[in-house]
Amino acid sequence: MEQTYVMIKPDGVQRGLIGEIVSRIEQKGLRIIAMQMRMIANDVARKHYAEHVEKGFFKLLIDFITSSPVVCMVVEGENAVTAMRTMSGATNPADASVGTIRGDFGLDVGRNIIHTADSPESSEREIAIHFTGEELIKYTRAEETWVYE
Ligand code: IDP
Ligand code: MG
């Protein structure tokens, strides 16, 4: 089982998409093992997006992600990192396929609704930024014998 870090961004929360997104994650068969609504502090945002510090959009990205509540999650399942990236769609909603979260609900790269870690290594790094080990809940979903062969 793999874990991935997922965050519904301020635009997703403000646009009333929390339920829709959580529902898609549940319906996929993935297990949400941590979830909390938060205001992201500036230093946490800078750590989270450290790889983009040199980019022209960095300041706007930090201002945006700290501007309003986000929903932070850890999602677990077989190939959870790839599964969540595929469900989220391309970074720019203009390029994202219909059926993906960004493809269905977004239009602008700076308002692309959801963050999902891009690799198992990024996932581990991001989970450690946003959650403590004790906050990750170990359990199984009753339907998992029907999700996995
Ligand atoms: P990802 O979210 O699909 O992993 P990244 O390249 O890691 O995409 O970029 C992080 C976030 O920075 C994007 O989700 C998007 O919100 C923002 N971003 C990326 N590229 C641009 C851009 O060219 N202009 C404005 N914002 C951008
Ligand atoms: Mg990224």
Side-chain angles (χ1 to χ4, degrees):
M1 288 280 163
E2 196 170 70
Q3 296 178 349
T4 189
Y5 180 70
V6 176
M7 185 159 67
I8 304 174
K9 295 184 180 184
D11 51 336
V13 173
Q14 291 288 347
R15 293 183 52 203
L17 293 171
I18 298 173
E20 171 72 33
I21 293 166
V22 169
S23 186
R24 288 183 180 212
I25 294 168
E26 288 186 306
Q27 286 173 8
K28 181 75 173 167
L30 292 163
R31 197 192 286 158
I32 298 168
I33 64 164
M35 177 159 67
Q36 193 177 49
M37 179 181 275
R38 307 232 174 94
M39 286 298 295
I40 298 288
N42 191 271
D43 61 321
V44 175
R46 296 179 68 89
K47 220 184 281 180
H48 175 88
Y49 279 126
E51 65 171 312
H52 297 303
V53 69
E54 305 294 343
K55 307 268 171 67
F57 59 81
F58 185 71
K59 190 189 178 302
L60 280 176
L61 180 60
I62 298 304
D63 288 349
F64 166 63
I65 209 75
T66 58
S67 67
S68 185
V70 298
V71 176
C72 307
M73 280 180 262
V74 178
V75 171
E76 193 172 68
E78 279 186 18
N79 302 308
V81 170
T82 302
M84 281 307 313
R85 290 289 287 187
T86 303
M87 286 165 67
S88 297
T91 302
N92 189 338
D95 302 325
S97 303
V98 169
T100 65
I101 292 164
R102 289 164 170 173
D104 287 351
F105 302 116
L107 287 167
D108 186 325
V109 69
R111 297 287 184 272
N112 62 2
I113 303 156
I114 188 164
H115 165 84
T116 67
D118 63 8
S119 66
E121 296 69 37
S122 301
S123 182
E124 195 178 337
R125 191 188 76 85
E126 292 171 15
I127 290 169
I129 291 172
H130 297 280
F131 288 100
T132 65
E134 298 83 70
E135 288 174 316
L136 310 183
I137 299 172
K138 285 190 175 39
Y139 72 105
T140 55
R141 282 178 56 182
E143 67 176 37
E144 281 172 19
T145 51
W146 299 99
V147 172
Y148 298 109
E149 189 174 31

